[in-house]
Amino acid sequence: MARWQPGTRGRLQDAALELFASRGYEQTTAAEIARSVGLTERTFFRHFSDKREVLFGGQERLTEAFVRGIEAAPDDATPMEAVGDALDVATGLFPDDMRPHSRLRQTVIDQHPALQERERHKMSGVATTIGDALRARGVGEPAATLAAESASTVFGIAFSQWIQDGESRSLGDISRAVLAELRDLTGADRAPR
Amino acid sequence: MARWQPGTRGRLQDAALELFASRGYEQTTAAEIARSVGLTERTFFRHFSDKREVLFGGQERLTEAFVRGIEAAPDDATPMEAVGDALDVATGLFPDDMRPHSRLRQTVIDQHPALQERERHKMSGVATTIGDALRARGVGEPAATLAAESASTVFGIAFSQWIQDGESRSLGDISRAVLAELRDLTGADRAPR
């Protein structure tokens, strides 16, 4: 599997993920993670504040990618067009060779309610920041929050699909398909009743 | 303020909320809540499993209301029409005389990250159940999840607005306005770029 990140941090992440998946998250200590790749606990803590951060340290990059996408959208882009651009930037952080990693990470998270809670918290923070970036473009309420929550929902659905066994489309392609589906779903004229 | 619920349960809820808001959630015990309305701790625990349940005990009713709304939607309703009907049923649980209660409850929750986390968890569970109800109608993926998450988002935004100081519209009216905004936002044709 390709590394999440290069260098020592990447080695520690790889090792942690393998141990979390094989032995269990609770049962794995920072010292064991470090030792399994010939490093010391001290080195581990130079790179991560705790073992949970191995799983969630990517949040900042993800948030930044969304914000970058929103900020780079053309001035005349609608809120949802800006969200589409942001999804393209954010999904670009996950090339196909990261899929096995992301799948393994999800397996670990799915086994622990506390980690699932942390994941929800993370995505809620991402949505809040996207909303801020949209408001900074002059998007009002509730449009900014609706568009930001939609971005987070589309990303979450696309990501879950991307790591399914047998799925071969890129995360970006899935994300664009889910966004199009959202447009069809919510944009349909209300039939006369 | 009107009671959340009639009888002893309602009295305990009212008393708990007042104490949480005035003294702090952490500092208030079940025994104190009971004592403040002349009841025993034992009585408290006949109605609630713990003091957190005073704040979150309504989740089941909310979920049921959404499901009832989805199930009662006409067979030919689109997923978002069913969601609109479900929002009407769910928002009907919150008549205007409950607004001061809901506002006070939110104040308590906003002060405690653990309660905010619990609230997110709750809304995530509501969205999952709405998705199940849509799938039971034959709605496929990702439409069911998108529609369910949109229902939860619209409800959340509408609810936040409903408890703002000075807001006088009903929760149902706000919810319908937010849903319409979502339709406008996501349904707009993508401008040629």
Side-chain angles (χ1 to χ4, degrees):
Chain A
M1 290 196 288
R3 290 248 173 91
W4 272 359
Q5 286 180 42
T8 305
R9 191 178 160 93
R11 277 171 67 201
L12 286 165
Q13 279 183 317
D14 287 353
L17 208 57
E18 296 290 346
L19 288 171
F20 292 165
S22 61
R23 278 200 215 170
Y25 174 77
E26 300 293 354
Q27 287 72 44
T28 304
T29 67
E32 286 167 339
I33 295 165
R35 223 166 27 230
S36 76
V37 284
L39 296 168
T40 63
E41 189 177 4
R42 194 172 179 159
T43 305
F44 180 92
F45 287 115
R46 259 208 302 277
H47 290 277
F48 300 100
S49 60
D50 55 30
K51 66 178 178 178
R52 207 176 62 163
E53 206 203 319
V54 176
L55 295 170
F56 297 104
Q59 170 177 12
E60 219 166 297
R61 284 180 68 214
L62 181 62
T63 306
E64 281 166 11
F66 271 111
V67 170
R68 217 159 52 233
I70 300 276
E71 288 176 350
D75 285 349
D76 62 350
T78 66
M80 287 308 287
E81 285 168 354
V83 157
D85 290 354
L87 280 163
D88 284 341
V89 178
T91 56
L93 294 180
F94 301 87
D96 273 349
D97 61 5
M98 269 187 61
R99 196 176 335 221
H101 269 292
S102 295
R103 198 174 275 152
L104 200 54
R105 175 181 173 279
Q106 200 62 46
T107 306
V108 173
I109 290 175
D110 287 348
Q111 283 162 1
H112 295 84
L115 297 178
Q116 294 172 311
E117 198 123 313
R118 173 73 208 166
E119 182 83 338
R120 269 194 299 274
H121 181 64
K122 181 186 104 171
M123 287 311 296
S124 152
V126 170
T128 302
T129 310
I130 296 171
D132 290 342
L134 287 167
R135 282 181 286 272
R137 283 176 69 90
V139 179
E141 286 298 346
T145 301
L146 282 168
E149 292 290 340
S150 296
S152 164
T153 298
V154 168
F155 182 84
I157 292 174
F159 197 87
S160 297
Q161 181 56 41
W162 182 61
I163 58 175
Q164 291 296 307
D165 284 331
E167 176 60 61
S168 61
R169 290 170 297 167
S170 73
L171 181 56
D173 283 350
I174 300 172
S175 166
R176 282 184 289 273
V178 175
L179 186 61
E181 175 99 17
L182 176 65
R183 212 154 23 220
D184 288 350
L185 193 67
T186 53
D189 286 320
R190 196 175 169 93
R193 296 267 286 271
Chain B
M1 291 196 290
R3 291 248 173 90
W4 270 359
Q5 287 181 40
T8 305
R9 191 177 160 94
R11 277 171 67 200
L12 286 165
Q13 278 183 318
D14 286 353
L17 207 58
E18 296 291 346
L19 287 170
F20 292 164
S22 61
R23 279 202 214 168
Y25 174 77
E26 300 293 355
Q27 287 72 45
T28 304
T29 67
E32 286 167 340
I33 295 165
R35 225 169 21 235
S36 76
V37 284
L39 297 168
T40 63
E41 188 177 3
R42 193 169 179 164
T43 305
F44 179 92
F45 286 116
R46 258 207 302 275
H47 290 277
F48 301 100
S49 60
D50 55 31
K51 67 177 178 178
R52 205 176 64 164
E53 207 204 318
V54 176
L55 296 170
F56 297 104
Q59 170 179 9
E60 218 165 297
R61 284 181 69 214
L62 181 61
T63 306
E64 282 166 10
F66 271 112
V67 170
R68 217 159 52 234
I70 300 276
E71 289 176 349
D75 285 349
D76 62 349
T78 67
M80 287 308 288
E81 285 168 355
V83 157
D85 290 354
L87 280 163
D88 283 341
V89 178
T91 55
L93 294 180
F94 301 88
D96 273 350
D97 61 6
M98 270 187 59
R99 199 182 323 230
H101 268 292
S102 296
R103 196 176 274 150
L104 200 54
R105 175 182 175 278
Q106 199 62 47
T107 307
V108 173
I109 290 176
D110 287 349
Q111 284 162 0
H112 295 85
L115 297 178
Q116 293 173 311
E117 198 124 314
R118 174 73 209 166
E119 181 85 336
R120 268 194 301 274
H121 181 63
K122 181 186 102 169
M123 287 312 295
S124 154
V126 171
T128 302
T129 309
I130 297 171
D132 291 341
L134 287 167
R135 281 182 287 272
R137 284 175 67 90
V139 179
E141 286 299 345
T145 301
L146 283 168
E149 292 290 341
S150 297
S152 164
T153 298
V154 168
F155 183 85
I157 292 174
F159 197 87
S160 298
Q161 181 57 41
W162 182 61
I163 58 176
Q164 291 296 307
D165 282 331
E167 176 60 59
S168 61
R169 289 171 297 166
S170 73
L171 181 57
D173 283 349
I174 300 172
S175 166
R176 281 183 289 272
V178 175
L179 187 61
E181 175 99 16
L182 176 65
R183 213 155 20 218
D184 288 349
L185 194 67
T186 53
D189 285 320
R190 198 177 169 93
R193 297 267 287 272

